[in-house]
Amino acid sequence: MTLLYFRCKINKKKRIRIGNEEKIAIKLHFSSVLMLIWPLVLLFHEFTMVFIYYTVFMKLLMVSSEAFPFSKTGGLGDIAGSLPIAFDSIKINSSLAIPLYKENYKFVNKKNLFAKFKIKHNKDDIEVEIIKIKHPENSNITVYFVKQDNFFKRNGLYSENGKDYKDNASRFILFSKAIVQLLIHLYKKEKFKFDIIHLNDWQTALISLYIKEVYNNEEALKSSLEVENAGTGDLSVNSTEASKTYSSTIKRDNNKVTIILKAN
């Protein structure tokens, strides 16, 4: 179009009209140029959208019964504590959710209270608080503590004096319910929704069941992708709801999701 305007301007001064054949030639030339650059435009657009998605929009919540430096009994604490920091290094918006154990009170104060829920548990309505802080080693990472002193403020995480707590199953069922309520609360109050809910070991496994079977009508939980680190073997999942792949790295393959978690 610029070429056509330039040619018309020159010919207007010379009082010469542009013929139909010359107009057709100019249009064909413009079309040829457009056909050559259009694939590059589409490629640039796709690259830009992927870059924005990865660096701005992808949001991940790591859910675990322990995570270093807050709590740790073994490898789970190392993995759950280090992955959010690793994800942040590649610009993925990462958060962490764990119980508030006795040893964690040094990290929090009353100003950190984020939400309160009453959760139906067995025959009781149990009050649970959510404490929200920034990770002490990386301020880009948000940490959500599930606070319920009768369940988690104990001398050990899972056991004491060499004996497992008899109510461990009940404790982490409550924890799982609290995480689901946190997800619903975040969406209703802040319109915030995680793309990936990364679950670790049996303590958090029920969250996936609650999302898919009990609270499957909740808008806050739609299009979320749950990842279960089962502890042994490999887990592979395919989906069109999101585009994330991670083991040691994160890759994207159009709209196909392939998640592979390998136990060491």
Side-chain angles (χ1 to χ4, degrees):
M1 298 300 293
T2 303
L3 177 62
L4 179 60
Y5 173 79
F6 181 72
R7 293 284 297 276
C8 287
K9 190 173 182 181
I10 292 176
N11 288 327
K12 186 177 180 181
K13 289 183 178 180
K14 294 183 177 179
R15 301 180 181 278
I16 299 175
R17 293 183 180 180
I18 298 176
N20 290 332
E21 292 183 0
E22 190 174 13
K23 288 181 180 179
I24 293 172
I26 292 172
K27 289 180 180 179
L28 289 175
H29 178 72
F30 178 75
S31 299
S32 299
V33 172
L34 185 61
M35 289 177 64
L36 287 173
I37 66 172
W38 188 245
L40 296 176
V41 172
L42 292 177
L43 183 62
F44 177 76
H45 177 267
E46 178 68 15
F47 174 80
T48 303
M49 290 300 100
V50 170
F51 177 79
I52 292 174
Y53 180 73
Y54 272 112
T55 58
V56 178
F57 296 118
M58 185 189 289
K59 300 176 288 294
L60 179 146
L61 178 65
M62 177 73 61
V63 186
S64 179
S65 60
E66 59 181 86
F68 184 82
F70 307 104
S71 49
K72 174 186 170 181
T73 61
L76 173 60
D78 289 326
I79 293 297
S82 61
L83 276 178
I85 296 175
F87 289 141
D88 179 69
S89 70
I90 53 174
K91 307 303 181 184
I92 292 178
N93 185 340
S94 301
S95 299
L96 173 66
I98 56 176
L100 184 69
Y101 295 113
K102 187 176 181 179
E103 61 193 70
N104 301 145
Y105 279 76
K106 61 187 177 183
F107 294 104
V108 303
N109 57 56
K110 293 182 180 180
K111 294 180 180 180
N112 301 134
L113 178 63
F114 177 66
K116 283 185 180 182
F117 313 122
K118 279 195 174 180
I119 295 177
K120 192 74 175 177
H121 190 62
N122 296 325
K123 296 180 180 180
D124 301 317
D125 290 325
I126 298 178
E127 186 171 89
V128 173
E129 295 180 355
I130 303 296
I131 309 298
K132 179 181 177 182
I133 68 168
K134 291 297 183 181
H135 197 291
E137 297 179 5
N138 188 325
S139 61
N140 292 332
I141 298 170
T142 299
V143 181
Y144 297 98
F145 288 109
V146 175
K147 180 180 181 293
Q148 216 302 318
D149 289 352
N150 291 333
F151 282 69
F152 302 116
K153 193 176 182 181
R154 303 182 183 184
N155 292 329
L157 272 61
Y158 317 116
S159 62
E160 195 171 333
N161 298 323
K163 294 183 179 180
D164 289 346
Y165 294 125
K166 292 182 179 180
D167 61 345
N168 271 343
S170 178
R171 295 170 71 212
F172 291 103
I173 289 172
L174 180 75
F175 175 67
S176 297
K177 291 178 178 178
I179 295 300
V180 174
Q181 291 302 318
L182 170 62
L183 298 174
I184 295 171
H185 177 83
L186 283 169
Y187 183 74
K188 287 184 176 179
K189 298 296 183 181
E190 302 180 3
K191 295 300 179 183
F192 185 90
K193 185 190 296 187
F194 288 102
D195 300 299
I196 298 179
I197 314 299
H198 189 305
L199 309 178
N200 293 273
D201 285 6
W202 67 267
Q203 295 95 334
T204 64
L206 279 177
I207 295 172
S208 182
L209 180 65
Y210 289 145
I211 289 175
K212 292 184 179 298
E213 300 297 335
V214 181
Y215 297 94
N216 53 352
N217 290 324
E218 286 286 347
E219 186 64 30
L221 306 176
K222 292 180 180 179
S223 299
S224 293
L225 179 65
E226 306 86 38
V227 181
E228 170 68 21
N229 180 2
T232 58
D234 296 345
L235 171 66
S236 298
V237 181
N238 289 324
S239 173
T240 56
E241 293 295 335
S243 299
K244 304 101 184 172
T245 299
Y246 59 104
S247 48
S248 57
T249 58
I250 295 184
K251 299 178 182 178
R252 178 187 175 110
D253 180 16
N254 295 324
N255 289 324
K256 182 180 179 182
V257 178
T258 304
I259 300 168
I260 303 174
L261 297 177
K262 294 185 178 180
N264 295 323

